[in-house]
């Protein structure tokens, strides 16, 4: 009888030990999973200092504001690429900044325009180009955009208005000083760039 009681207590102790061990493993898995999710959520967020005051930091989800950042990046690139003045140093400076925002497709368009004398014509005619954005259509699922704008070319003898339509895709990349939105425009091409109106100036 005593031996049976001892065996029963040993079995009970073994089951309690096994149960405690299993419970510890389950708790460990749950806590690790929770910690991993917390770290993952933290990586999706950025901290912004308000008014350069380190103590006033606010946290916001990157993805919440991504559509606005995409549109801002597309708008900035087109402004740099198409809004130009008859100054070769300025054109070179603007193109250099624009190339940080686009892949090889932008470089190819720039080289084609340069070879066709586009920038030289701006200098020789003292043209001032100003691009106004009409709208930017964005498909977040495909990261595709279509840009609609109106280009004003102010020359000595006339002012030409053109409609500009381009399209491309957007790729997330690490943020930098040269690319603050962390967005790269890829497979960019011009769909339309045609004259809408040519207003002659009074030269006398």
């Amino acid at each position: 009888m005593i031996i049976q009681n001892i065996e029963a207590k040993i079995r009970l102790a073994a089951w309690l030990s096994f149960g405690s061990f299993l419970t510890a493993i389950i708790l460990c898995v749950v806590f690790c999973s929770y910690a991993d999710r917390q770290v993952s959520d933290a990586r999706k967020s950025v901290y912004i200092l308000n008014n350069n005051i380190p103590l006033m930091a606010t946290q916001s989800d990157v993805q919440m504001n991504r559509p606005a950042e995409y549109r801002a990046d597309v708008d900035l690139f087109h402004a740099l690429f198409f809004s130009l003045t008859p100054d070769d140093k300025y054109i070179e400076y603007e193109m250099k900044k624009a190339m940080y925002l686009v892949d090889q497709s932008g470089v190819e368009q720039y080289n084609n325009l340069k070879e066709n004398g586009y920038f030289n014509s701006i200098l020789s005619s003292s043209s001032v180009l100003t691009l106004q954005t009409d709208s930017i259509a964005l498909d977040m699922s495909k990261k595709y955009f279509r840009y609609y704008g109106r280009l004003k070319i102010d020359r000595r003898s006339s002012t030409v208005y053109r409609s500009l339509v381009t399209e491309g895709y957007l790729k997330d990349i690490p943020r930098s000083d040269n690319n603050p939105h962390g967005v790269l425009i890829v497979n960019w091409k011009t769909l339309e760039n045609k004259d809408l109106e040519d207003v002659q100036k009074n030269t006398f």
Side-chain angles (χ1 to χ4, degrees), residues 78-197:
H78 284 79
L80 291 171
F81 198 92
F82 290 102
S83 293
L84 304 171
T85 61
D87 183 327
D88 56 343
K89 296 296 183 183
Y90 177 80
I91 292 175
E92 184 180 346
Y93 174 73
E94 292 292 277
M95 289 299 139
K96 183 178 179 180
K97 291 200 299 182
M99 292 305 106
Y100 285 112
L101 308 178
V102 70
D103 71 348
Q104 186 64 27
S105 59
V107 178
E108 290 174 358
Q109 286 211 40
Y110 168 68
N111 289 334
N112 288 337
L113 291 173
K114 191 173 183 180
E115 289 175 5
N116 293 330
Y118 176 74
F119 300 109
N120 286 334
S121 69
I122 294 175
L123 299 175
S124 62
S125 62
S126 298
S127 300
V128 177
L129 282 66
T130 307
L131 181 64
Q132 179 181 352
T133 300
D134 289 334
S135 64
I136 300 172
L138 189 63
D139 185 340
M140 286 297 293
S141 62
K142 298 179 181 178
K143 291 188 177 179
Y144 167 84
F145 75 87
R146 181 166 289 189
Y147 176 92
Y148 299 90
R150 184 179 171 92
L151 185 63
K152 176 184 176 183
I153 306 174
D154 194 4
R155 298 170 178 152
R156 285 190 295 260
S157 58
S158 65
T159 300
V160 177
Y161 296 91
R162 287 181 179 173
S163 66
L164 177 68
V165 182
T166 73
E167 68 173 5
Y169 292 85
L170 304 166
K171 179 181 178 181
D172 294 326
I173 62 172
R175 297 170 190 264
S176 67
D177 290 341
N178 295 315
N179 195 326
H181 295 117
V183 181
L184 187 69
I185 296 172
V186 298
N187 298 328
W188 178 62
K189 60 182 178 181
T190 300
L191 302 178
E192 179 180 286
N193 188 1
K194 66 178 182 180
D195 290 354
L196 296 174
E197 188 179 5

Side-chain angles (χ1 to χ4, degrees), residues 52-68:
N52 294 323
I53 301 176
L55 297 178
M56 296 180 61
T58 58
Q59 187 179 21
S60 61
D61 193 328
V62 173
Q63 296 304 319
M64 287 177 60
N65 208 34
R66 209 53 175 151

